[in-house]
Amino acid sequence: MPAKEKYGAQPPIELLRQWIDHGNWYDRKDTSEIKLTDVLFMSAMGPPGGGRNEITSRFTRHLNIVSIDEFSDDTLTKIFGTIIDWHFAKGFDGSLQRLGKMLVQATMVIYKEAMEKFLPTPSKSHYLFNLRDFARVVRGVLLIPSTHLQEGGKLIRLWIHEVYRVIYDRLVDAADRTKFFEIVKETTQSSFKQSVDSLCGHLSHSGNVRDEDIRNLLFGDYMLPDADPRVYDEVTDLKQLTTIME
């Protein structure tokens, strides 16, 4: 984006290039000059691919280009690990602080798997994952206060809920959703040494948790709508939730 037209040009880019080259546009009704003054032009873009096209060099020659390399795993661990440590130092049990470090590593696994397994296509052009998604998962985990988080299993369920809301909700077909469920199952076992069945068995009548069961795993601040402040917590009674929503 922007898409190329029949002869390979990108009309929006050519309009911007005209302004940078000549300092004006022309009114389409009477061809009078339209001048823009005291304008600083800044832009941002990703590398070509996944629906993004090359930008003509006739345009980029006018710009000073600054490129930022991708963060290393150690850098990501340091950034988000520090945030998690700060949060779980505020009245949480020491075991939860240790789980917090595992949570960062588990989120990194999910983040990398999502980028590798769910690639953008014309029908799935929104399959674009970046550090904002990593940060959204961590930010979701930070919403629950220490008064409502006393055991590690609940923290892991919260983490599963957040990766589902950030990544799973973007997936558009059953095959991708099933694949993501398997990724979460494997990551939960390898990172936390606990199975999804043991953590979320209460969501399944058989005890064998499936993808559709995880959809009933909910956290939110709407169970006590009149509370001040409203508390982000696990929803354990779906019938009560339905009554509140109605």
Side-chain angles (χ1 to χ4, degrees), residues 23 42 91 129 203:
M42 298 181 66
F129 304 98
L203 300 174

Side-chain angles (χ1 to χ4, degrees), residues 13 26 28 49 61 64 83 86 92 96 98 125 127-128 133 149 194-195 198 201 210 239:
I13 297 299
Y26 292 96
R28 295 180 62 185
R61 67 191 173 93
N64 295 312
I83 295 171
W86 164 79
F92 289 89
L96 297 179
R98 292 189 293 274
S125 59
Y127 278 24
L128 298 171
D133 301 306
L149 184 59
Q194 296 195 50
S195 70
S198 64
R210 299 175 299 173
K239 291 183 179 178

Side-chain angles (χ1 to χ4, degrees), residues 53 60 68 91 93 97 107 146 187 204 218-219 224 226 232 237:
N53 294 308
T60 56
I68 301 176
D93 186 77
Q97 295 183 35
T107 306
S146 60
T187 305
S204 170
L218 298 174
F219 282 76
L224 297 172
D226 298 326
Y232 194 76
D237 189 337

Side-chain angles (χ1 to χ4, degrees), residues 77-196:
T77 301
K78 181 66 174 176
I79 292 171
F80 293 108
T82 301
I83 295 171
I84 288 289
D85 289 344
W86 164 79
H87 176 69
F88 285 113
K90 299 187 295 183
F92 289 89
D93 186 77
S95 62
L96 297 179
Q97 295 183 35
R98 292 189 293 274
L99 268 180
K101 298 181 185 297
M102 301 177 192
L103 185 148
V104 173
Q105 295 300 321
T107 306
M108 187 178 302
V109 172
I110 295 292
Y111 169 64
K112 289 189 170 183
E113 286 285 326
M115 289 194 297
E116 179 182 341
K117 300 290 175 58
F118 306 117
L119 300 175
T121 64
S123 63
K124 303 174 183 177
S125 59
H126 61 290
Y127 278 24
L128 298 171
F129 304 98
N130 54 49
L131 281 182
R132 291 191 186 94
D133 301 306
F134 198 128
R136 288 187 186 108
V137 174
V138 173
R139 186 171 58 198
V141 171
L142 303 185
L143 290 174
I144 192 167
S146 60
T147 53
H148 289 71
L149 184 59
Q150 308 295 331
E151 51 97 11
K154 186 175 182 178
L155 174 59
I156 301 173
R157 287 196 298 275
L158 171 60
W159 173 80
I160 293 173
H161 172 267
E162 297 306 321
V163 296
Y164 256 64
R165 297 292 73 78
V166 172
I167 297 176
Y168 178 93
D169 286 351
R170 205 178 301 179
L171 306 179
V172 296
D173 62 45
D176 288 345
R177 296 188 186 110
T178 300
K179 185 185 298 184
F180 185 75
F181 171 66
E182 294 300 327
I183 292 171
V184 170
K185 279 185 64 175
E186 293 171 8
T187 305
T188 303
Q189 183 65 54
S190 61
S191 296
F192 301 107
K193 310 305 178 187
Q194 296 195 50
S195 70
V196 169

